[in-house]
Amino acid sequence: MLALMERLLLRAESERAYPIPLFLPLASWAGPQLPLARWLEDELARVYLLPRELYRHLLDARGVVLLLDGLDEVRPEQREACVAAIDRFRRDHGCRVLLSCRSRVMQALQPGVVIGPAVELQPLDDEQVRDVLAQAGSGLAAVRAALEREAPGHGPDGEGRGTLAELARSPLMLSIIMESYNGLASDELPAFGSPEAQRRHLLDSFVDRTLGRKDHAPF
């Protein structure tokens, strides 16, 4: 969704009449006790320091695209009310809305609740993972070799993917693998018996590397 927002921003910069994309996580929506329109105003003022009058002007002019992330982070008993509130807001103001969540959360909603068409992102296949790593340079040679060893037919059980290869099918985890393991030799790559253990190690390594950068900007 952030990659899409970047492309929409570039288009809005080049086309003055194109709507401005605004990204917000839904986790802080407090449910029926806080109307969606009020929540949006509060969050945009807090996150973007956007003057409320400017937001209202853009909204009236249909000059925004809302990218709302993380329906699965809304409390389960409030998710359908949240989707209904988003749908009412979309129809009332004529603005475009993109809503994201995990597939299982979308599937659990009652029929007729989902807004418009849905697109499900699929895991990367092995060829896509290889292509990404091949373009990343020699620093990830050890990762490429490890993934080849863990490919179907070569994994620990002779059938399925190994732990690292399974995690690499997620675009997010693949980017974290590339950041965390770049420059490591084959004998420096840690091995774990479960995807969860490897995921925790990768996230810890990613945070350590990111915070340790000399060019890292403070929050």
Side-chain angles (χ1 to χ4, degrees), residues 4 25 38 55 74 76 80 101 119 130 137 147 154-155 175 185 211 215:
L4 174 61
R38 173 63 185 277
Y55 165 66
V74 176
E80 291 188 3
C101 68
V119 176
R130 284 194 294 269
L147 293 182
H154 300 88
S175 66
L211 295 180
D215 62 345

Side-chain angles (χ1 to χ4, degrees), residues 5 13 91 105 123 135 186 217:
M5 181 176 178
E13 287 180 351
R91 287 186 281 106
V105 172
Q135 297 174 30
S186 293

Side-chain angles (χ1 to χ4, degrees), residues 58-87:
L58 290 172
L59 194 60
D60 290 341
R62 300 185 179 183
V64 297
V65 178
L66 294 177
L67 289 79
L68 304 178
D69 184 39
L71 177 64
D72 40 305
E73 296 180 21
V74 176
R75 290 197 293 271
E77 67 273 15
Q78 294 182 347
R79 287 172 186 162
E80 291 188 3
C82 182
V83 174
I86 292 169
D87 189 33

